[in-house]
Amino acid sequence: MLGIGLIVLSLVLLFMILTRGGYDNSERVSAGGNYVVPVSVNFPAPDLELENLNGKVETLKDFHGQVVLVNNWATWCPPCKAEMPTLSDYYNDHADEGFAVIAIESGDPREKVLDYVEEYDLPFTVWLDAHAQAMQAFQNQNLPSSYVIDRSGIVRFAWTGEINRELLEKYVTPMLSE
């Protein structure tokens, strides 16, 4: 029953994201047939701690003081694969400004994730999430889904679907100078 409730909640959230009023239709960007619309939100980042690829447990609080993009993804997910080069390039261009990416892989074994990280040459932090804790913490079961946390630990933007560079520049880059 809880699983059905989470699915319904996810679908309602996705519907709200895709149909919310008050945005400029020029911001709707086709991404493999999906529409990506960043949603302005305002809630404290969840208490989340997971193991990184090196076996060390890290928490979102460890990144306090940085602008953090949390990305829930999976190795088998086509839009997740499509956005990884964009996330890597944006991270490489802005890491020295206090920007971090935490890519949280949803369920695959460490070895498969390590192979993926090597293949895509991912330069940012990757956490393993065998039990979908991150998706539960952010109350969104869709992949990919991303959340931008400001330097004070407040989640300010949410995306469901593939992210592109234009929207990262428009919404995340200004936060880097705050």
Side-chain angles (χ1 to χ4, degrees), residues 16 59-60 72 85 88 101 110 122 131 136 141 160 175-176:
M16 290 170 50
T59 70
L60 286 179
N72 291 322
S88 292
V101 172
R110 178 185 312 276
L122 302 182
H131 303 290
Q136 291 169 10
Q141 301 299 309
T160 297
M175 293 176 61
L176 296 173

Side-chain angles (χ1 to χ4, degrees), residues 77-161:
C77 165
C80 301
K81 290 178 181 182
E83 74 181 356
M84 283 301 168
T86 300
L87 291 174
S88 292
D89 290 345
Y90 188 83
Y91 171 80
N92 286 333
D93 290 346
H94 295 283
D96 63 346
E97 298 170 61
F99 176 70
V101 172
I102 302 172
I104 304 176
E105 204 290 327
S106 298
D108 281 323
R110 178 185 312 276
E111 296 76 28
K112 187 170 186 173
V113 177
L114 283 168
D115 289 345
Y116 186 98
V117 167
E118 184 176 312
E119 178 184 345
Y120 283 83
D121 195 26
L122 302 182
F124 41 73
T125 301
V126 176
W127 290 356
L128 301 170
D129 190 6
H131 303 290
Q133 293 174 33
M135 291 193 298
Q136 291 169 10
F138 285 100
Q139 299 178 8
N140 186 347
Q141 301 299 309
N142 299 295
L143 295 175
S145 59
S146 298
Y147 307 88
V148 180
I149 304 169
D150 69 17
R151 295 182 193 279
S152 65
I154 302 298
V155 181
R156 303 251 310 266
F157 294 104
W159 272 274
T160 297

Side-chain angles (χ1 to χ4, degrees), residues 165-178:
R165 181 67 183 237
E166 178 183 347
L167 294 176
L168 286 170
E169 292 292 353
K170 181 174 182 174
Y171 291 95
V172 180
T173 302
M175 293 176 61
L176 296 173
S177 61
E178 292 177 358

Side-chain angles (χ1 to χ4, degrees), residues 15-54:
F15 177 78
M16 290 170 50
I17 289 169
L18 295 177
T19 62
R20 72 183 177 92
Y23 66 89
D24 178 356
N25 276 338
S26 67
E27 289 183 348
R28 292 174 62 115
V29 179
S30 179
N34 298 319
Y35 287 100
V36 176
V37 179
V39 176
S40 180
V41 296
N42 184 6
F43 60 90
D47 290 329
L48 186 62
E49 65 177 50
L50 291 166
E51 191 174 291
N52 66 23
L53 289 176
N54 298 322

